[in-house]
Every structure is written in structure tokens, then in C-alpha cells.
């Protein structure tokens, strides 16, 4: 993947660029399937320095051959990207336009669905649980004309196994939080749909009672018409029409009963989603407890490391003192040897 230097506009001056990354980082496009939106994501280690939702009103502007920017009204900031070449900048701008158009189409489609679900006869549907993000594409690298960014940074020590476990648990926790938020949204939608369905069921029951009364009245009318022998032909014709009307009412009644069964099934599905939400909440609590344990282990390891470093420093000081003493003894032995040699020469 390519990379770019990331900047944000100074919130105080609204003029100067402030670097948000110490070096060039990867900037990627993602599709958030749970919210049906497209995002621009960039991570510096485990920190998200860009999380911008693409909207149809956004515009990516090339301010130089290797630098481009866009405004995010939701985040109340302006992002800037510095690339290593004009080609990478152009490629990112083209992808921006593609995902901007895709965001527009997704918004229109979402509005159409909302209009359909707002009618009483429309079936309410729960949201699918999917993975939150799906990567689509990436962009370019460094920029010569952007503000100076320090390229040389000190190498980071390799994380211990417990630190890696802590990072992984934090990622799992974020994932479950996103899943829980999705379930809460779906639960709210289903609750509204159930309330609407309950009102519809009451209305349909009233209509059903009216249809039954109408059917009974028509049956009585048919009986009365059959008793009138002088109007036998007219009664027969009227009876046929009434029978057809009764048949249509029976079919309508059957359709309403099927609709009631479907609504009962949706209520059962809503209860299952509620159970899933409770299960995810419990898992999230367990992950949080695990994170606290890992934090305690990490703190203990840091204390042990600091103690070990102190002991090594004390050992070095003792060794240095011993070497100084040894040098002094060697010097005294050398003088003694020289004196003995002189005595031998004199004798």
C-alpha cells in the first residue's frame, strides 16, 4: 500500500497546517456495511488520525501538485494529505470522486427504503449483522511541498506477549462495541415496527369483525331473497353476486390472517435479537474485565523492567569502581617491580 503525510487545519488560526503523523502513514477507503456509508481511514499505530465519513457534498481540492485537502463538517476540521508524486495525488482524487458518487447513490437508496418502510403496508425488516468495515482502495505517499515533518523517529521496542494480548483485546472490545451499537439501532427499528404492527393488527381485527357482520347480513339477505318466489330469477342472480362477494371477503380474511401470522413471526425475531444483544453485552463486559487484567500485568512488567534496569546500573557502577581499584593495584605492583629491579641492579 502507498502512504501519505497527514495534516489537520489548526483549530485556533484556521490557517496553518498541523501534522498529525510523525511519518508517512497508510490512508485507505473503507465501506461501513452496518451504516451503509463510505469512510476514509488512517491509523498511526493504534491511533485513528483520520475517520472521515464521505458525503455527497464533500469536495477534494488539489492545492498543489502533491498536496490535496477536503473539509469534514461532521468532524469540524479540514484534512490535508501530502503525497510523494502527482500521480498518487491524482489517483486518490479519482477514488474520492468514485466513492463520493457511491455515497450519493447509497444515500438515495437509503431514502427510498425509508419512504417504503414509512407506509403501513410495508414489511419491517431488521438489519443484518455484518462486519463493520470492508477495505476498498488506497492512495499515495510523501509530499515535498507540505510542511516539514520529522521522518526519523526512534525505533520502538518490540511489544511483549502480554502487550500484544492487550492490543488484541482492545480491538475485540471496539468490535463488540460496534456490534452492540448496531443491535441497539436494529432493536429500536424493530420496536417501532412492532408498535406499528400492533396498531395494524387491531385495525385488521376491527375490519375482520365488520367483514363477518357483513357476511352474516348477506347470508340473511340471501335467505330472505330465496323466500320470495315471485322474484326467483332476480334472487338467483343476486345470490350469485352475494356468493362472489362472500368469497372475496373470505379471501381477504385469509390474507389478513396470513399477515397476522407474519407479524407474530417478526415479534419472535425481535425477541431473538434482544437475546443476542444481551449476549453481546455480557461478552463486552468480559472483554473489559480481561483488559483490566492485562493492564495490571503490563504495569507489573513495566515495574519489573524498571527494577532490572536499576540493578544493571548499580552493577555497572560497582564494576567501574572495582576496575579503578584494580588499576591502582596494578600501578602499585608496577612500581614495586621497578624498585626491585633497581635493587637488583645496585646489588
Amino acid at each position: 500500500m502507498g502512504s501519505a503525510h497527514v495534516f489537520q487545519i489548526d483549530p485556533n488560526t484556521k490557517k496553518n497546517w498541523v501534522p498529525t503523523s510523525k511519518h508517512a502513514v497508510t490512508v485507505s477507503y473503507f465501506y461501513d456495511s452496518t451504516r451503509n456509508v463510505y469512510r476514509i481511514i488512517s491509523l498511526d499505530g493504534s491511533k485513528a488520525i483520520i475517520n472521515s465519513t464521505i458525503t455527497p457534498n464533500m469536495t477534494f481540492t488539489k492545492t498543489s501538485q502533491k498536496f490535496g485537502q477536503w473539509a469534514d463538517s461532521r468532524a469540524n476540521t479540514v484534512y490535508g494529505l501530502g503525497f510523494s508524486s502527482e500521480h498518487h495525488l491524482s489517483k486518490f482524487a479519482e477514488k474520492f470522486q468514485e466513492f463520493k458518487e457511491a455515497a450519493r447513490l447509497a444515500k438515495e437508496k437509503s431514502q427510498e427504503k425509508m419512504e417504503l418502510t414509512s407506509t403501513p403496508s410495508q414489511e419491517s425488516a431488521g438489519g443484518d449483522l455484518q462486519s463493520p468495515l470492508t477495505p476498498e482502495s488506497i492512495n499515495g505517499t510523501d509530499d515535498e511541498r507540505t510542511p516539514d515533518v520529522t521522518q526519523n523517529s526512534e525505533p520502538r521496542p518490540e511489544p511483549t506477549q502480554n502487550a500484544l494480548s492487550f492490543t488484541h483485546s482492545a480491538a475485540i472490545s471496539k468490535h463488540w462495541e460496534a456490534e452492540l451499537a448496531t443491535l441497539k439501532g436494529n432493536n429500536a427499528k424493530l420496536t417501532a415496527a412492532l408498535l406499528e404492527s400492533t396498531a395494524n393488527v387491531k385495525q385488521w381485527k376491527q375490519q375482520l369483525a365488520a367483514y363477518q357482520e357483513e357476511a352474516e347480513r348477506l347470508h340473511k339477505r340471501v335467505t330472505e331473497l330465496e323466500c320470495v318466489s315471485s322474484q326467483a330469477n332476480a334472487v338467483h342472480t343476486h345470490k350469485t353476486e352475494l356468493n362472489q362477494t362472500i368469497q372475496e371477503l373470505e379471501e381477504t380474511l385469509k390474507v389478513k390472517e396470513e399477515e397476522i401470522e407474519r407479524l407474530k413471526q417478526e415479534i419472535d425475531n425481535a425477541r431473538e435479537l434482544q437475546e443476542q444483544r444481551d449476549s453481546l453485552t455480557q461478552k463486552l463486559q468480559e472483554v473489559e474485565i480481561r483488559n483490566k487484567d492485562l493492564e495490571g500485568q503490563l504495569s507489573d512488567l513495566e515495574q519489573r523492567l524498571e527494577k532490572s534496569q536499576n540493578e544493571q546500573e548499580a552493577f555497572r557502577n560497582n564494576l567501574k569502581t572495582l576496575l579503578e581499584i584494580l588499576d591502582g593495584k596494578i600501578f602499585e605492583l608496577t612500581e614495586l617491580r621497578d624498585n626491585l629491579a633497581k635493587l637488583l641492579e645496585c646489588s
Side-chain angles (χ1 to χ4, degrees):
M1 287 188 179
S3 57
H5 287 288
V6 180
F7 300 88
Q8 277 187 259
I9 201 72
D10 190 337
N12 297 322
T13 63
K14 298 295 183 180
K15 294 181 180 180
N16 301 326
W17 288 107
V18 178
T20 57
S21 61
K22 296 181 180 180
H23 49 78
V25 295
T26 300
V27 184
S28 305
Y29 289 101
F30 284 93
Y31 173 60
D32 187 345
S33 58
T34 60
R35 296 172 177 80
N36 195 26
V37 294
Y38 294 88
R39 300 180 185 273
I40 300 176
I41 302 293
S42 180
L43 299 177
D44 187 5
S46 60
K47 178 182 177 183
I49 57 178
I50 296 180
N51 186 5
S52 178
T53 301
I54 301 175
T55 64
N57 298 328
M58 280 187 178
T59 302
F60 183 78
T61 306
K62 298 180 182 179
T63 56
S64 68
Q65 292 182 348
K66 300 179 182 179
F67 191 82
Q69 67 184 46
W70 77 95
D72 189 337
S73 59
R74 295 185 180 180
N76 193 23
T77 187
V78 179
Y79 293 102
L81 296 178
F83 298 92
S84 62
S85 66
E86 185 177 0
H87 171 71
H88 290 138
L89 174 61
S90 299
K91 183 178 178 181
F92 182 88
E94 291 173 359
K95 288 292 182 181
F96 191 95
Q97 288 298 122
E98 292 179 7
F99 283 95
K100 176 181 175 182
E101 180 65 17
R104 184 185 66 80
L105 295 176
K107 183 177 180 181
E108 292 178 354
K109 185 176 180 181
S110 178
Q111 290 178 348
E112 291 176 358
K113 288 183 177 180
M114 290 178 64
E115 291 176 357
L116 290 175
T117 54
S118 64
T119 59
S121 61
Q122 180 65 30
E123 297 181 1
S124 60
D128 296 334
L129 297 179
Q130 302 178 2
S131 298
L133 297 177
T134 305
E136 297 289 345
S137 61
I138 48 87
N139 48 27
T141 55
D142 308 334
D143 181 18
E144 298 175 355
R145 298 194 179 186
T146 56
D148 293 338
V149 180
T150 304
Q151 296 285 347
N152 297 326
S153 58
E154 296 182 358
R156 298 180 181 177
E158 294 184 357
T160 63
Q161 184 177 2
N162 286 330
L164 289 173
S165 299
F166 174 73
T167 304
H168 181 64
S169 297
I172 294 175
S173 178
K174 290 181 179 179
H175 172 73
W176 286 121
E177 287 176 355
E179 292 290 324
L180 182 59
T182 302
L183 281 175
K184 287 181 178 179
N186 293 336
N187 186 54
K189 293 179 181 178
L190 285 173
T191 301
L194 287 174
L195 293 175
E196 181 182 350
S197 300
T198 303
N200 291 336
V201 168
K202 292 180 179 178
Q203 183 181 0
W204 291 332
K205 286 182 178 180
Q206 293 175 356
Q207 293 178 356
L208 179 60
Y211 291 151
Q212 288 176 345
E213 292 177 358
E214 181 67 15
E216 291 177 359
R217 188 184 67 81
L218 291 174
H219 280 296
K220 290 180 181 179
R221 181 60 179 168
V222 169
T223 303
E224 292 175 357
L225 291 174
E226 288 177 348
C227 295
V228 182
S229 59
S230 61
Q231 301 177 353
N233 295 332
V235 168
H236 179 74
T237 304
H238 197 187
K239 180 181 177 181
T240 304
E241 294 176 355
L242 290 176
N243 288 334
Q244 292 178 354
T245 304
I246 292 171
Q247 186 177 0
E248 292 176 356
L249 290 173
E250 289 177 350
E251 291 178 354
T252 304
L253 178 61
K254 183 178 180 181
V255 171
K256 296 300 181 181
E257 290 176 349
E258 293 177 353
E259 185 69 15
I260 291 173
E261 291 296 327
R262 184 187 65 79
L263 290 174
K264 289 181 180 178
Q265 184 65 31
E266 289 184 357
I267 292 173
D268 294 337
N269 293 337
R271 290 174 180 172
E272 292 179 0
L273 286 175
Q274 180 68 27
E275 293 176 356
Q276 291 178 3
R277 189 191 71 171
D278 295 339
S279 175
L280 286 175
T281 303
Q282 183 179 0
K283 289 182 180 179
L284 180 60
Q285 292 175 353
E286 293 175 355
V287 170
E288 290 177 351
I289 295 173
R290 177 60 179 170
N291 285 342
K292 290 181 180 178
D293 294 340
L294 291 175
E295 287 176 357
Q297 295 178 8
L298 183 61
S299 176
D300 184 53
L301 288 174
E302 290 176 350
Q303 292 178 359
R304 291 182 182 178
L305 178 61
E306 183 178 358
K307 182 179 179 181
S308 176
Q309 290 176 347
N310 293 335
E311 291 177 352
Q312 289 181 359
E313 185 66 23
F315 178 75
R316 291 193 188 97
N317 293 334
N318 293 334
L319 185 61
K320 184 177 180 181
T321 303
L322 182 62
L323 288 175
E324 291 176 354
I325 295 172
L326 184 61
D327 290 340
K329 296 297 182 181
I330 292 174
F331 179 75
E332 291 176 359
L333 289 173
T334 303
E335 288 184 346
L336 180 61
R337 178 181 174 281
D338 293 340
N339 291 334
L340 290 175
K342 288 179 181 180
L343 289 175
L344 289 174
E345 290 177 356
C346 292
S347 61

